[in-house]
Amino acid sequence: MEVVTLNSSEDELVLARIKDYLSRDKDGRRKAVLQIFLEGGPYETKDIDEKLREQNFDVKNKGTPAMVGLMGSKTGILSVDVTGDHNMYSIKEKYKRLVKAALEETS
């Protein structure tokens, strides 16, 4: 496990928010979505749906957009590009190491 050095009180706050968000992950879907974001992006929510289906998650209509929106608002880790026809989501570069640490700690 990589030791993450927190650079600021902001890092501590963001890490706590991510862990809190993951603490309510009943079926592993939230962890899966964060892992998807770490592997690439930016993604539309339909791309995330596809990747979740590949991992045998039961994907409901509008479930992923709601989850991604909540993830962004509760944790503050997502960047949203609204310049095209569809919103494109990705993890802000400065938070990737915190997301990795939270996923390791909660697995």
Side-chain angles (χ1 to χ4, degrees):
M1 178 190 284
E2 177 187 343
V3 175
V4 173
T5 305
L6 300 178
N7 296 326
S8 67
S9 58
E10 178 192 359
D11 282 1
E12 290 178 28
L13 183 62
V14 170
L15 184 58
R17 285 182 190 154
I18 298 166
K19 287 181 187 178
D20 182 57
Y21 180 76
L22 289 172
S23 73
R24 293 182 300 279
D25 190 10
K26 292 180 176 37
D27 64 357
R29 185 180 313 248
R30 292 176 180 198
K31 286 180 186 175
V33 170
L34 285 174
Q35 194 60 51
I36 290 166
F37 278 128
L38 285 176
E39 292 167 1
Y43 297 111
E44 290 181 41
T45 54
K46 70 180 178 90
D47 301 326
I48 296 168
D49 276 347
E50 239 173 70
K51 291 182 176 294
L52 287 172
R53 282 189 189 96
E54 289 170 8
Q55 296 178 39
N56 297 316
F57 283 100
D58 182 22
V59 177
K60 303 268 191 265
N61 194 17
K62 298 184 183 175
T64 302
M67 179 177 41
V68 170
L70 183 66
M71 182 185 297
S73 67
K74 291 286 184 188
T75 65
I77 62 170
L78 295 182
S79 173
V80 184
D81 180 359
V82 294
T83 56
D85 291 338
H86 301 279
N87 290 351
M88 301 295 289
Y89 299 90
S90 59
I91 292 180
K92 294 175 185 173
E93 195 63 40
K94 68 181 182 175
Y95 296 133
K96 285 185 177 182
R97 66 186 177 78
L98 297 176
V99 171
K100 287 178 192 174
L103 287 171
E104 287 177 7
E105 287 182 34
T106 57
S107 59

